[in-house]
């Protein structure tokens, strides 16, 4: 909290380095690191803010830190950093939010939504930097993995953004997380109509031939979830879902093959 910018920068940079070590991350939180970091996030120094966002991102990697960070006042600081219009601060702050959102159990995601994290994240969805978009897509996919968070995503229009992510040609990671978000939403049958209406299901089909294995796994997962609902079978037939499923059935990866197999079996009933 020293007012000297150089001293503050050096101190936060040191914390950033320490936070790269898995065992030290938890100790830093226990020793009261968050409060001075939150204060430093409001400094006028861009360099200090960059170090703060990167440090918080590293600290949020520890499973034991996520709940504490969500409760401690870190979220407003990260929201502010995410709105900085600076590449480094945007990447690390959104990555930190995504890391915290990995805590699907409990009320962490609910707290994030209540504190207004979703809209600033969505505002970065069309960022020209692929790395920023990738972290936004990852964050949305994580929110989509928790049933209690899905309604907020639908109300905010996040499905349309996931569709755009799934169609992203520039970055494979963006498309991967976009397809994962769609697949996660497809777990709940009440979301299926929205996924058809927004073109989300259709956006998965070209990705069946993606060079990225994780993307193919997400596609197979999503299509299997859609196929479990008998009410979708006719529209799936009209959309030509069977062809990409057959392609996925031939995939050498066991997970992709099994998901495609289950989907085809459901559609044939």
């Amino acid at each position: 909290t020293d007012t000297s910018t150089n001293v503050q920068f050096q101190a936060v940079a040191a914390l950033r380095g320490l936070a790269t070590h898995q065992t030290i991350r938890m100790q830093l939180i226990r020793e009261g690191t968050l409060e001075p970091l939150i204060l430093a996030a409001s400094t006028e120094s861009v360099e200090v803010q960059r170090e703060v966002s990167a440090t918080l991102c590293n600290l949020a990697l520890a499973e034991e830190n996520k709940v504490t960070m969500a409760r401690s006042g870190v979220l407003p600081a990260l929201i502010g950093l995410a709105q900085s219009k600076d590449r480094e601060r945007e990447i690390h702050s959104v990555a930190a939010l995504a890391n915290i959102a990995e805590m699907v159990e409990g009320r962490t995601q609910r707290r994030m939504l209540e504190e207004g994290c979703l809209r600033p994240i969505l505002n970065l969805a069309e960022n020209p930097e692929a790395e920023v978009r990738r972290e936004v897509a990852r964050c949305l996919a994580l929110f989509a993995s928790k049933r209690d968070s899905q309604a907020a995503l639908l109300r905010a229009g996040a499905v349309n953004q996931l569709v755009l992510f799934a169609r992203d040609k520039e970055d494979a990671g963006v498309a991967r997380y976009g397809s994962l978000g769609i697949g996660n939403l497809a777990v709940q049958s009440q979301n299926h109509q929205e996924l058809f209406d927004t073109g989300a299901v259709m956006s998965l089909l070209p990705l069946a031939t993606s060079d990225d294995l994780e993307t193919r796994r997400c596609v197979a997962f999503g299509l299997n979830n859609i196929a479990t609902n008998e009410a979708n079978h006719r529209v799936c037939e009209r959309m030509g879902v069977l062809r990409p499923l057959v392609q996925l059935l031939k995939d050498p990866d066991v997970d992709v093959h099994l998901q495609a197999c289950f989907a085809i079996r459901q559609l044939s009933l």
Side-chain angles (χ1 to χ4, degrees), residues 165-215:
F165 284 149
R167 293 173 176 167
D168 195 295
K169 303 295 185 184
E170 182 182 340
D171 187 88
V174 175
R176 180 192 313 134
Y177 289 123
S179 61
L180 177 59
I182 292 168
N184 286 339
L185 289 173
V187 171
Q188 303 299 327
S189 60
Q190 61 263 36
N191 298 330
H192 288 178
Q193 192 59 53
E194 176 83 7
L195 295 178
F196 280 112
D197 292 345
T198 56
V201 177
M202 183 66 78
S203 71
L204 295 179
L205 305 188
L207 294 175
T209 57
S210 171
D211 292 333
D212 182 63
L213 171 58
E214 291 301 326
T215 299

Side-chain angles (χ1 to χ4, degrees), residues 5-263:
T5 300
N6 184 54
V7 172
Q8 196 173 44
F9 172 80
Q10 296 296 339
V12 179
L15 290 172
R16 176 183 182 177
L18 289 171
T20 61
H21 297 273
Q22 185 174 355
T23 55
I24 300 178
R25 288 177 189 137
M26 294 174 285
Q27 185 178 346
L28 288 171
I29 296 291
R30 289 195 295 267
E31 295 294 332
T33 303
L34 290 179
E35 185 177 353
L37 285 174
I38 292 168
L39 292 173
S42 60
T43 184
E44 294 182 1
S45 169
V46 172
E47 295 301 325
V48 171
Q49 287 191 6
R50 286 173 176 171
E51 293 299 315
V52 169
S53 59
T55 304
L56 292 173
C57 181
N58 289 338
L59 290 172
L61 289 169
E63 197 76 11
E64 295 82 354
N65 290 347
K66 300 178 194 294
V67 174
T68 303
M69 293 180 71
R71 291 174 175 172
S72 66
V74 163
L75 298 178
L78 288 173
I79 290 171
L81 292 167
Q83 297 173 318
S84 63
K85 299 189 183 302
D86 172 70
R87 177 183 179 274
E88 288 188 42
R89 284 176 286 176
E90 288 172 345
I91 291 171
H92 288 126
S93 57
V94 178
L97 289 168
N99 290 342
I100 295 171
E102 287 178 348
M103 181 54 70
V104 178
E105 298 82 9
R107 299 184 68 257
T108 299
Q109 285 199 10
R110 180 177 175 180
R111 188 181 298 273
M112 294 179 73
L113 294 171
E114 288 173 349
E115 294 207 23
C117 290
L118 187 55
R119 178 47 54 190
I121 291 170
L122 284 170
N123 288 343
L124 291 171
E126 297 181 18
N127 194 284
E129 293 287 344
E131 197 168 352
V132 175
R133 297 199 307 278
R134 193 184 313 141
E135 293 301 331
V136 171
R138 181 166 74 96
C139 201
L140 294 181
L142 287 163
F143 278 123
S145 69
K146 186 175 176 66
R147 181 175 182 173
D148 293 345
S149 301
Q150 293 179 358
L153 289 182
L154 268 61
R155 287 195 301 271
V159 179
N160 290 312
Q161 194 54 62
L162 287 170
V163 171
L164 294 177
F165 284 149
R167 293 173 176 167
D168 195 295
K169 303 295 185 184
E170 182 182 340
D171 187 88
V174 175
R176 180 192 313 134
Y177 289 123
S179 61
L180 177 59
I182 292 168
N184 286 339
L185 289 173
V187 171
Q188 303 299 327
S189 60
Q190 61 263 36
N191 298 330
H192 288 178
Q193 192 59 53
E194 176 83 7
L195 295 178
F196 280 112
D197 292 345
T198 56
V201 177
M202 183 66 78
S203 71
L204 295 179
L205 305 188
L207 294 175
T209 57
S210 171
D211 292 333
D212 182 63
L213 171 58
E214 291 301 326
T215 299
R216 299 199 304 277
R217 286 176 174 170
C218 294
V219 171
F221 169 68
L223 293 180
N224 183 34
N225 289 333
I226 291 294
T228 57
N229 187 349
E230 187 177 351
N232 298 333
H233 290 183
R234 185 162 294 181
V235 65
C236 284
E237 182 181 355
R238 291 199 300 269
M239 288 174 58
V241 169
L242 194 57
R243 179 171 293 180
L245 280 174
V246 171
Q247 182 71 33
L248 293 168
L249 189 64
K250 300 174 184 177
D251 200 289
D253 180 73
V254 174
D255 290 339
V256 175
H257 173 82
L258 284 176
Q259 292 282 356
C261 184
F262 293 149

